Amino acid sequence: MNILKSVHDQVVARNPNEPEFLQAVEEVLESLEPVAEKHPEWVAAGIFDRLVEPERQIVFRVSWVDDDGQVHVNRGFRVQFNSAIGPYKGGLRLHPSVNLGIIKFLGFEQIFKNSLTGLPIGGGKGGSDFNPRGRSDHEIMRFCQSFMTELWRHVGPDTDVPAGDIGTGAREIGYMYGQYKRLSNTHTGVLTGKGLDWGGSLVRTQATGYGLCYFMEEAMKAKGKSFKQSTVSISGSGNVAIFAHEKATEMGAKVVTMSDSDGYIHDPDGVDLELIKEIKLVRRARIHEYAKEKPNATYTQGCTGIWTVPCDIALPSATQNELDGDAAAALIKNGCFAVGEGANMPATPDAVKQFLENKIIYGPAKAANAGGVATSALEMSQNSMRLSWSFEEVDEKLQQIMVDIYKAASEAAAEYGDADNLVLGSNIAGFEKVATSMYQHGVAY
Ligand code: NDP
């Protein structure tokens, strides 16, 4: 880094103890160096300095009472990172690992991802260090209501529209929306991922996983490859993983692995998706139950070994930094030719470096998993128009958006002299629209 070194140094000094945020910023700034060279007016207007500082960070207490009457206190977050091209938009993560640095990394990535969709949405993210695991429905409901009792004053259909993420699915969105409606006395599109009877969009549930497959199919087509007759390894067994499995299988692939945070299953016959849905969505149980019911499948405790299972295509869809340099080396050695990120930042910088050096078809998260937020934006459009589109209509729009994202990222990569480098291409293509907007809005003195 040269022109952007001072921006980088300032971020490091200002945000100690936030390694995931720094990791995300470093990757983006490295990609943007040639853009800074080409646009001295953006450097002079402080666009890069402003880009790495959230517009607003809200941290709040969330107290709630468990089924035994005991009081618990969690911490809630909403980082409203950048509203240059539209209202803040990004999910709410409920997981014990959540802290301000994690939410900032996710919010920062969201700026570029949302811009890449071509839709008018800014970047934000939120959540809490609440652990939903093992909690009853009533406990989840009380937590979600308490969380929204503070959050509602900061969000709105034209201000900030949160959605789901790890630990926040249809049930949680329902409880949060109910509380928002009670407090605000309005019925508006303030959250996405809503139930179909009260403003939700068809395809939103499937969108991230489906979109990931549409994006990767397009990227692979350019290199004469396809999901057809390929072996696929997927990590995670949540919303993204399940619908990536569904679409990859529909496209002719065989998915042989899935995981949760305890371990992974390998089924050489192909992972039975209906059984996974039953275990994870109905029973809300652990994935090791799968191996008990499928004699040819094995269960392995621990998550990292999943990438040693031979596959043609890997779709990491669980969490950040789940695929490290050793895992990348194992995938490459076993002949894997494509990696598409369903999760946000699942590959470590070392892993990404190896993918790029070995000419693996690599779809970075901000491009490859943008289908979820794109469909959320389509949900917002339907809410504003008070209309709902059919499954086919939304799915068709989603496919087109993913093809367009691939086109924008690959064209930007080629323009900046490193064709096929979709990390570079998506960072630049996502950034340019945001930078142009910030520049045109001027600086508030
Ligand atoms: P879910 O909560 O539905 O599923 C998450 C899955 O990942 C679960 O199988 C979970 O296992 C596993 N997991 C979570 N944390 C860890 C961990 N620390 N180590 C190993 N495994 C873990 O979340 P989603 O499917 O919605 O999200 C998955 C990823 O996709 C996240 O990175 C999210 O930010 C990203 N994403 C999600 C979008 C969406 O539309 N939902 C949109 C774009 C990106 P367990 O059950 O044991 O917790």
Side-chain angles (χ1 to χ4, degrees):
M1 251 179 266
N2 182 15
I3 304 174
L4 297 181
K5 187 170 181 313
S6 62
V7 178
H8 173 263
D9 292 350
Q10 173 84 308
V11 178
V12 171
R14 264 202 182 141
N15 303 279
N17 310 316
E18 294 182 357
E20 292 86 1
F21 177 55
L22 296 179
Q23 182 182 334
V25 169
E26 263 164 33
E27 184 212 270
V28 169
L29 290 183
E30 264 168 35
S31 296
L32 296 184
E33 184 71 24
V35 184
E37 247 172 68
K38 193 170 160 189
H39 289 279
E41 76 284 10
W42 288 352
V43 177
I47 299 289
F48 299 91
D49 310 77
R50 287 189 273 150
L51 183 76
V52 295
E53 185 66 18
E55 289 176 17
R56 195 172 298 107
Q57 307 182 50
I58 302 149
V59 182
F60 52 100
R61 181 179 66 205
V62 188
S63 42
W64 56 282
V65 181
D66 70 17
D67 289 344
D68 299 323
Q70 198 185 327
V71 176
H72 296 259
V73 177
N74 285 102
R75 191 169 280 180
F77 303 91
R78 187 70 186 167
V79 172
Q80 299 179 328
F81 221 117
N82 191 302
S83 61
I85 63 171
Y88 310 104
K89 179 97 201 81
L92 297 169
R93 178 174 291 193
L94 302 182
H95 194 272
S97 63
V98 163
N99 56 43
L100 186 59
I102 297 268
I103 299 298
K104 278 166 67 180
F105 121 63
L106 290 163
F108 182 69
E109 291 284 289
Q110 200 81 42
I111 304 169
F112 310 97
K113 180 187 310 200
N114 292 4
S115 167
L116 279 168
T117 66
L119 299 166
I121 38 177
K125 198 82 187 188
S128 171
D129 57 1
F130 171 71
N131 186 359
R133 200 196 282 190
R135 289 294 171 192
S136 70
D137 271 0
H138 274 107
E139 289 173 325
I140 298 281
M141 182 174 78
R142 286 194 292 274
F143 171 83
C144 290
Q145 291 177 341
S146 178
F147 183 80
M148 189 49 90
T149 299
E150 173 59 31
L151 188 67
W152 84 279
R153 70 191 80 243
H154 307 291
V155 297
D158 297 316
T159 308
D160 184 355
V161 184
D165 191 73
I166 291 179
T168 306
R171 175 181 57 171
E172 292 74 20
I173 291 288
Y175 293 146
M176 289 181 194
Y177 190 78
Q179 187 70 350
Y180 179 85
K181 193 166 68 60
R182 275 175 213 110
L183 292 166
S184 67
N185 194 27
T186 58
H187 201 304
T188 60
V190 72
L191 293 174
T192 55
K194 298 188 291 299
L196 295 177
D197 294 326
W198 38 278
S201 173
L202 288 160
V203 194
R204 176 60 190 93
T205 309
Q206 294 87 348
T208 308
Y210 278 22
L212 171 65
C213 295
Y214 296 146
F215 179 91
M216 288 308 293
E217 189 70 356
E218 194 64 17
M220 290 191 288
K221 195 167 82 184
K223 301 286 167 201
K225 305 275 189 193
S226 157
F227 274 110
K228 205 163 179 200
Q229 294 181 336
S230 294
T231 301
V232 177
S233 190
I234 297 182
S235 63
S237 50
N239 174 266
V240 179
I242 284 176
F243 292 103
H245 181 318
E246 190 167 283
K247 186 53 72 178
T249 306
E250 211 181 291
M251 288 174 151
K254 180 159 86 168
V255 176
V256 293
T257 70
M258 288 188 92
S259 66
D260 61 21
S261 52
D262 295 335
Y264 69 93
I265 51 155
H266 174 208
D267 188 342
D269 299 336
V271 174
D272 176 346
L273 188 59
E274 289 316 307
L275 180 54
I276 289 287
K277 283 184 181 173
E278 158 71 23
I279 293 171
K280 298 308 288 190
L281 303 179
V282 181
R283 293 185 221 162
R284 293 190 187 271
R286 309 307 299 161
I287 206 160
H288 62 72
E289 289 197 7
Y290 182 95
K292 288 187 201 147
E293 296 174 40
K294 290 277 175 183
N296 286 346
T298 52
Y299 171 74
T300 307
Q301 189 77 23
C303 296
T304 47
I306 192 170
W307 307 119
T308 62
V309 175
C311 67
D312 302 311
I313 302 165
L315 302 177
S317 302
T319 195
Q320 64 273 0
N321 292 328
E322 55 163 311
L323 197 166
D324 63 11
D326 290 343
L331 282 170
I332 294 164
K333 184 168 154 271
N334 285 332
C336 170
F337 57 74
V339 178
E341 295 188 331
N344 283 310
M345 207 170 75
T348 63
D350 183 16
V352 176
K353 191 163 164 272
Q354 294 189 52
F355 293 146
L356 295 177
E357 280 172 5
N358 287 278
K359 296 281 171 207
I360 303 298
I361 304 164
Y362 170 60
K366 59 173 74 68
N369 74 23
V373 74
T375 309
S376 277
L378 299 178
E379 183 174 328
M380 289 165 70
S381 302
Q382 293 169 81
N383 293 162
S384 299
M385 293 191 291
R386 304 201 187 284
L387 285 174
S388 31
W389 296 326
S390 69
F391 191 97
E392 290 69 27
E393 273 177 287
V394 182
D395 193 35
E396 206 176 289
K397 289 182 201 302
L398 171 63
Q399 285 184 53
Q400 190 58 50
I401 288 169
M402 299 316 294
V403 168
D404 290 346
I405 292 176
Y406 171 72
K407 195 164 173 277
S410 56
E411 282 176 4
E415 185 191 334
Y416 280 84
D418 195 358
D420 298 340
N421 183 341
L422 296 176
V423 176
L424 182 81
S426 29
N427 284 336
I428 293 177
F431 170 73
E432 282 183 330
K433 203 165 78 168
V434 175
T436 305
S437 308
M438 288 174 76
Y439 188 71
Q440 290 171 356
H441 293 164
V443 190
Y445 289 94

